[in-house]
Amino acid sequence: MVKAVVAGAAGGIGQPLSLLLKLCPHVSDLALYDVVNSPGVATDLSHICTTGAVNGYLPDDNGMQKAFTGAGIVVIPAGIPRKPGMTRDDLFKINAGIVRDLIKGVASYCPDAFVLVISNPVNSTVPIAAQVLREAGVFNPRKLFGVTTLDVVRAQTFTAAVVDGDAKQGGNPESFKVPVVGGHSGDTIVPLLSLAEPAVTLTDAQREALTHRIQFGGDEVVQAKNGAGSATLSMAYAGYRFAHALLEAACAGKTSVEPSFVYLPGVPGGEQVKDQVGTDFFAIPVQLGPNGVEKVVSPLDKISNYEKGLLETAIKGLQGNIEKGIAFHKL
Ligand code: NAD
Ligand code: LMR
């Protein structure tokens, strides 16, 4: 059983994610941290009849210290979301500083915790987090994760929708496994449909349309919400799915393989992937164990020529995003 922290707990993602964590059998203590309304959200959740305490903290009265101390996992959906017409990179100006300050709190109060960064732009906020942890002398790359699970969830859902109606291929989204690698924005997102399990047969036009939909799925929600934010409920599901997989490995010894945006040189098997892609940070399937990343399970040797082309484009975009994060917190 672990203490879990949600930083940004009063927000659109934070509230449903906190609800799901309140239902998680591995969480003994849930600490909700936000700059507004976290005590209210905590009181509301505390009436749910599952075991485990829930407490809300604001920045005053050493709230961050109280929330973070003793945590085994810290999930960070703090920061502003997109509005129509914005890119994720447009969020950097505000969210970079928010993530930096929260990670400073992690470094001071719970340096051994698993850290799951949801705040965008993930391609840059995760490098910022790594820099802050490195500066504090507590960087454990096996425990730092950029959460890209929503891309995997979308890949499952949208693939099932395309093959739905084809009796041979089946259309149940839960039955599909589609690895997604690269980063978390537009064409840095590389779905590997050729490696879908069970295998799917797609025409060239279907493959292109499906790839584009997975890469730009976030825009669909931003446009539909029309100024009221971006994906929150599907993200809470995805964030919980990743957190739960990690806690299953850490608390119940049940390992699984999930894609995540990680620091390649610091995780077992990551150097070989770095040699192939050239970037330090990359989303790749990783096997999760009690100490975080056990090893990278790279599908890159098996990808199609079409996906090799997508990867080339992704790497170009990713490189700049990573450098921007590193430059924001130079050591
Ligand atoms: P939101 O505005 O609804 O909630 C953000 C919350 O963060 C608010 O409650 C706010 O008070 C809080 N916050 C702001 N500064 C803080 C600080 N310094 N410390 C603690 N809390 C602070 O936004 P949202 O829709 O929940 O989205 C949050 C972030 O998640 C955005 O950056 C969004 O782009 C990102 N996101 C990422 C993914 C992904 O796949 N990784 C998916 C969806 C959204
Ligand atoms: C998403 O993929 O839904 C998130 O990154 C939010 C966004 O800005 O699209």
Side-chain angles (χ1 to χ4, degrees), residues 7-14 33-36 59 64 76-82 88 91 95 97-99 101-102 117-122 147-151 154 184 229-232 235:
I13 298 167
Y33 180 74
D34 202 301
V35 292
V36 292
M64 191 192 287
I76 305 182
I80 57 162
R82 286 197 289 161
R88 290 180 185 78
L91 306 173
N95 290 354
I98 291 175
V99 171
D101 294 348
L102 289 167
V117 180
I118 292 173
S119 316
N120 271 317
V122 166
V147 181
T148 56
T149 319
L150 185 51
D151 302 319
R154 286 181 178 137
H184 176 67
S230 55
T232 54
M235 181 60 233

Side-chain angles (χ1 to χ4, degrees), residues 29-304:
D29 186 354
L30 184 57
L32 307 186
Y33 180 74
D34 202 301
V35 292
V36 292
N37 199 28
S38 36
V41 177
T43 302
D44 188 353
L45 288 180
S46 73
H47 290 193
I48 293 175
C49 55
T50 56
T51 49
V54 193
N55 291 290
Y57 302 90
L58 295 167
D60 49 1
D61 197 22
N62 295 323
M64 191 192 287
Q65 178 172 1
K66 288 178 186 160
F68 285 24
T69 299
I73 182 168
V74 179
V75 192
I76 305 182
I80 57 162
R82 286 197 289 161
K83 285 185 165 44
M86 291 172 84
T87 66
R88 290 180 185 78
D89 189 51
D90 292 333
L91 306 173
F92 184 94
K93 237 181 166 173
I94 293 176
N95 290 354
I98 291 175
V99 171
R100 176 200 56 209
D101 294 348
L102 289 167
I103 298 290
K104 281 186 181 174
V106 169
S108 300
Y109 309 128
C110 54
D112 288 331
F114 296 119
V115 181
L116 280 58
V117 180
I118 292 173
S119 316
N120 271 317
V122 166
N123 294 355
S124 304
T125 51
V126 176
I128 292 171
Q131 289 289 89
V132 173
L133 294 167
R134 188 180 275 127
E135 182 180 51
V138 296
F139 181 32
N140 180 352
R142 294 176 63 186
K143 290 191 161 188
L144 175 64
F145 303 93
V147 181
T148 56
T149 319
L150 185 51
D151 302 319
V152 181
V153 168
R154 286 181 178 137
Q156 280 181 263
T157 310
F158 301 162
T159 303
V162 168
V163 301
D164 198 15
D166 178 337
K168 263 190 263 153
Q169 301 201 61
N172 175 6
E174 286 179 63
S175 70
F176 283 103
K177 263 191 122 171
V178 182
V180 183
V181 299
H184 176 67
S185 70
D187 58 17
T188 71
I189 297 169
V190 181
L192 303 178
L193 295 165
S194 71
L195 303 180
E197 286 175 24
V200 291
T201 307
L202 301 167
T203 63
D204 288 353
Q206 277 177 327
R207 188 179 55 223
E208 267 180 43
L210 183 52
T211 298
H212 187 272
R213 187 165 184 219
I214 296 164
Q215 290 183 319
F216 294 91
D219 295 22
E220 251 182 53
V221 183
V222 170
Q223 275 151 25
K225 290 198 174 178
N226 197 21
S230 55
T232 54
L233 301 172
S234 51
M235 181 60 233
Y237 166 78
Y240 180 69
R241 179 163 133 173
F242 189 78
H244 184 254
L246 201 47
L247 293 178
E248 281 279 283
C251 304
K254 292 185 191 158
T255 67
S256 58
V257 175
E258 295 284 338
S260 179
F261 190 69
V262 296
Y263 178 65
L264 292 174
V267 295
E271 281 290 0
Q272 291 94 305
V273 176
K274 189 189 160 168
D275 288 345
Q276 286 173 292
V277 301
T279 61
D280 275 351
F281 293 86
F282 198 76
I284 192 91
V286 293
Q287 185 176 323
L288 301 172
N291 300 309
V293 177
E294 289 283 315
K295 62 175 182 188
V296 167
V297 185
S298 176
L300 293 185
D301 289 337
K302 297 179 279 186
I303 67 178
S304 67

